[in-house]
Amino acid sequence: MRLVLGFASGLLFGLGLILAGMSNPAKVLNFLDIVGAFDPSLAFVMGGAALTTFIGYRLVWRRGQPLLMSDFQIPTRKDIDRDLLTGAALFGIGWGIGGFCPGPAWTALPLATPGILAFLPSMLAGMALALFVKGRRLRMA
Amino acid sequence: MPLETVTPFTPLASTLGGVLIGLSAVLVMALFGRIAGISGITTGAIPARSDDWGWRLAFVLGLIAAPLLVGLVTGETIRQTVPDNLAAMVLAGLLVGFGTVLGSGCTSGHGVCGLARLSARSLVAVLTFMAFAFATVFLLRHVV
C-alpha cells in the first residue's frame, strides 16, 4: 500500500512539473534570465504549489497523525546556520548553470538527453559527498 | 536541439501544474507525515539510510514514470531542451546535489513545503538560492 501510494504521489508531482512546464530546463533558465528572455511562469508554479500546500497542510494537521505512519515528522530547526546558506548558494549556482533542480532532473531522465545523463549521476554523487561530509563531521564531534 | 532562448509565458498551465505539485505535497503529508522535498526523498530512498525507504523509492519511480505516461496518453514527447555542454552539466549536477543536501532542501522542500509552513529557515534558503541562480544566469548569458 505504501509503495503504491508513494508511486502515485510521485506521479502526481511529476505530472504537475510537466503541466507547469518545469520539466523543461530552458523554461527555468528563461525565468532566471530576468533582464533577458524573462519568462515569469515559474513564479506562478511556486505560488500555486505553496498556496495549495499551505491550505492542505493545515487541513491534514487537524488529524493528529498521518494515515500510514505513527507521527508527523516536521523540521523543527529555526537557526540560520552556515550550512543552510552555503548549501543554498551552491545549489543556486548549479541550478543557474543547468536549469535542473532535483525533481525535474528525475522527470527528465527517461528522455535520456546527453545533458541529463551527465547531470543526474553527478547530482547523486554530489548528494553522496555531502552526506559523507555531514556524517564525518558528526563522528568527529 | 539548441536551448530555447524564448519560452512562452504560461500563467494558467503553470499555476495548475503548481496546484498538482501542491496536492502531491499535501498527499505525502497526509499519508506519510513527511515533507515532500525531492532532495530528501532521493537520499532517503537508499535502504541503508532510512527504514522507510520504500515509499521514497516508489515516489522517485513515479516522477520518472510521469513523462512516460504523458507520452503514452498524448502520443507526443514532452517539450524539452537541455543544455548540452556536458562538462557544465556535470559541474551543475555536483553543485545541485551537494548544495541541496548541505542546505537541507531544494525548490520543493524549502520552496514549496517550507514556505507553506512559514519556516524562516526555508525563506532564507529560497531567497539565497534564487539570488545565486539569478546572478549565475546573468553572468553566463550577459557578461561572460
Side-chain angles (χ1 to χ4, degrees):
Chain A
M1 196 60 179
R2 284 183 189 187
L3 296 185
V4 173
L5 291 169
F7 181 84
S9 306
L11 189 65
L12 182 63
F13 198 107
L15 293 175
L17 284 173
I18 292 167
L19 177 61
M22 293 302 110
S23 52
N24 185 1
K27 200 166 170 65
V28 174
L29 290 171
N30 288 343
F31 171 77
L32 295 171
D33 189 7
I34 208 155
V35 299
F38 189 51
D39 171 359
S41 304
L42 191 147
F44 288 73
V45 185
M46 287 298 289
L51 195 65
T52 305
T53 309
F54 177 84
I55 298 166
Y57 271 6
R58 273 140 194 91
L59 296 175
V60 164
W61 287 337
R62 282 187 193 168
R63 216 178 159 275
Q65 72 179 96
L67 295 166
L68 302 177
M69 301 280 191
S70 55
D71 56 352
F72 290 115
Q73 281 192 9
I74 295 154
T76 51
R77 285 181 64 176
K78 302 233 182 294
D79 58 314
I80 311 292
D81 65 323
R82 189 189 289 181
D83 279 357
L84 182 82
L85 296 171
T86 313
L90 294 176
F91 164 44
I93 296 169
W95 193 32
I97 296 172
F100 278 122
C101 52
W106 284 118
T107 59
L109 184 61
L111 280 80
T113 51
I116 191 61
L117 295 180
F119 182 93
L120 196 90
S122 310
M123 180 182 91
L124 297 178
M127 287 177 165
L129 186 64
L131 289 173
F132 175 77
V133 169
K134 278 184 155 179
R136 203 178 58 170
R137 262 200 238 146
L138 276 179
R139 283 193 299 278
M140 289 172 80
Chain B
M1 206 188 340
L3 198 70
E4 302 154 89
T5 49
V6 177
T7 44
F9 174 42
T10 53
L12 186 63
S14 287
T15 306
L16 287 176
V19 169
L20 294 189
I21 293 168
L23 288 175
S24 168
V26 173
L27 203 55
V28 166
M29 185 58 72
L31 295 168
F32 306 108
R34 302 295 190 271
I35 297 293
I38 308 302
S39 54
I41 287 179
T42 302
T43 55
I46 305 162
R49 288 201 21 94
S50 83
D51 39 15
D52 57 342
W53 56 275
W55 73 267
R56 292 189 177 90
L57 185 61
F59 187 101
V60 170
L61 292 176
L63 283 176
I64 297 173
L68 301 174
L69 179 68
V70 170
L72 213 63
V73 172
T74 65
E76 286 171 38
T77 327
I78 58 173
R79 184 178 179 81
Q80 186 190 67
T81 53
V82 178
D84 54 6
N85 179 335
L86 297 186
M89 290 308 274
V90 167
L91 176 66
L94 287 170
L95 288 168
V96 168
F98 190 84
T100 52
V101 169
L102 187 70
S104 313
C106 57
T107 345
S108 46
H110 280 313
V112 176
C113 302
L115 295 184
R117 293 190 300 112
L118 307 179
S119 153
R121 258 172 74 84
S122 290
L123 179 62
V124 169
V126 171
L127 294 176
T128 305
F129 68 64
M130 282 289 179
F132 275 84
F134 280 123
T136 302
V137 171
F138 180 77
L139 282 174
L140 293 178
R141 286 198 177 176
H142 303 287
V143 179
V144 179

